[in-house]
Amino acid sequence: IGIPEPAEDEVLLKVSHCGVCGSDLHAWLDHPGYEFVLPQVTFGHEVSGVVEHMGTGVTRLKVGDHAVMIAVQTAHDDNCRYCREGFPQLSTRRRVQGLSLDGGMAEYVCVKEEFLVSVPRDLPLNLASLTEPLSVADHCVVNRSSIREGSKVVVSGPGVIGAFCAITARHHGAEVLIVGTEQDEAARLSRLRKVGFASATVGPEMAPLEEQVSDFFNGEEADALVEASGASVALADSWKCVRPNGIVTAVALYGQNVDFNATQFVRKQIDLRTTYASAPSNYEHAIELLQAGVVDFDVLATVYS
């Protein structure tokens, strides 16, 4: 096909690494909620790379700079309330590069300069490719979950987003328990234990999760639960593990409607919140976390040629 030519306001990025997101799998399988995805599109929105070339209107970046791509893209507009409030990813004008237009599962990708974040040269590009999912975790934990030093936190779902929510919460001083199933043991829970996390396993042969949570927190319930598994029952039963006046934050996407007993949430006055994607400021925070060494790439990531 050839190397794409950047428009006036675009940068040609030579891709170093590109993550495979759960959204890519949902889109590939044509699941409900992904009707907006182009019939023919290059996937990939967790991208790190090196500036190869640029349009004449580009002023902030130069050839040789390292950068990561903002996935959920909304052109800044001072008249847009979501831009003004710092949540451009909530605008109806948003698009997702890698789903709505060609992304980074290619040798080169063109990206508007506005949607590139500079990466320090001393941050390896394989690690930098984790910026996007880590930014999602930062938005979830910092902006939407009121998790702070000393918080008792349960993370339901040990996938990439769940793992990064746990890492971010721990970085902010929380005590974290990660929950998965027996199927998660080999590839996920075992790796997370290697980087210092405690885990609990749900299943028919296991003690009820609320008992495992109570044992871990010395008889107390969690202050906050982050639901990252996408399992409807996990969100529906989350109230059982959270103390009165606690918080449940859903960061996962769900393949079916969630049927839950709202009265149980009301009686415990539990806040049920949601969190979506991330803002440019979260990308900056994620890069700071990566520079601080909070993510062990060799243990947590699997690399494909």
Side-chain angles (χ1 to χ4, degrees):
I1 297 174
I3 299 174
E5 186 68 26
E8 182 180 0
D9 60 347
E10 289 182 339
V11 167
L12 178 67
L13 202 67
K14 182 176 175 60
V15 176
S16 172
H17 289 74
C18 183
V20 182
C21 178
S23 296
D24 297 318
L25 303 180
H26 284 300
W28 177 257
L29 296 170
D30 199 23
H31 284 166
Y34 289 82
E35 294 80 7
F36 69 94
V37 178
L38 294 179
Q40 293 184 348
V41 69
T42 301
F43 286 169
H45 57 266
E46 302 177 5
V47 181
S48 68
V50 180
V51 175
E52 180 93 354
H53 184 46
M54 64 197 69
T56 57
V58 172
T59 59
R60 182 169 51 85
L61 294 165
K62 63 183 185 298
V63 172
D65 283 352
H66 293 186
V68 295
M69 183 181 80
I70 294 175
V72 182
Q73 302 173 351
T74 302
H76 184 81
D77 182 353
D78 287 334
N79 295 318
C80 170
R81 68 174 299 168
Y82 302 107
C83 290
R84 293 196 307 271
E85 293 171 1
F87 302 117
Q89 74 273 22
L90 301 182
S91 170
T92 56
R93 297 181 294 113
R94 70 187 181 223
R95 63 181 191 174
V96 182
Q97 187 156 3
L99 296 175
S100 306
L101 69 161
D102 285 335
M105 289 187 185
E107 292 178 319
Y108 295 91
V109 59
C110 286
V111 185
K112 287 184 179 294
E113 183 185 29
E114 181 180 358
F115 305 125
L116 287 171
V117 180
S118 296
V119 173
R121 289 291 188 94
D122 61 353
L123 183 65
L125 283 168
N126 61 347
L127 201 56
S129 68
L130 303 179
T131 300
E132 193 276 337
L134 188 56
S135 76
V136 172
D138 183 78
H139 179 53
C140 173
V141 170
V142 176
N143 301 133
R144 299 294 296 160
S145 300
S146 302
I147 291 170
R148 55 182 63 88
E149 185 174 356
S151 294
K152 298 176 176 64
V153 178
V154 172
V155 176
S156 170
V160 171
I161 297 299
F164 285 178
C165 285
I167 286 169
T168 304
R170 183 172 68 178
H171 180 75
H172 286 278
E175 186 178 6
V176 181
L177 177 67
I178 299 179
V179 179
T181 66
E182 290 179 299
Q183 288 75 21
D184 292 317
E185 175 59 35
R188 293 175 169 180
L189 292 176
S190 60
R191 295 191 189 199
L192 287 164
R193 285 197 296 273
K194 286 181 180 178
V195 295
F197 285 103
S199 66
T201 306
V202 294
E205 306 300 321
M206 307 297 174
L209 179 58
E210 57 268 29
E211 292 183 11
Q212 297 185 61
V213 170
S214 178
D215 288 344
F216 180 73
F217 291 126
N218 298 315
E220 297 187 20
E221 295 173 306
D223 300 305
L225 183 146
V226 173
E227 210 308 284
S229 74
S232 299
V233 66
L235 184 59
D237 289 346
S238 59
W239 63 272
K240 297 178 181 179
C241 302
V242 178
R243 66 169 173 82
N245 208 37
I247 297 167
V248 171
T249 308
V251 65
L253 298 176
Y254 297 85
Q256 59 187 15
N257 290 341
V258 181
D259 183 13
F260 68 96
N261 187 340
T263 297
Q264 301 293 354
F265 286 83
V266 172
R267 284 177 172 163
K268 294 181 82 172
Q269 194 175 291
I270 292 172
D271 279 2
L272 180 54
R273 303 179 183 177
T274 59
T275 176
Y276 177 69
S278 57
S281 60
N282 301 116
Y283 280 76
E284 300 287 355
H285 296 161
I287 290 171
E288 292 171 3
L289 290 174
L290 292 171
Q291 285 189 289
V294 302
V295 176
D296 189 324
F297 186 91
D298 293 334
V299 172
L300 297 178
T302 300
V303 180
Y304 303 91
S305 63

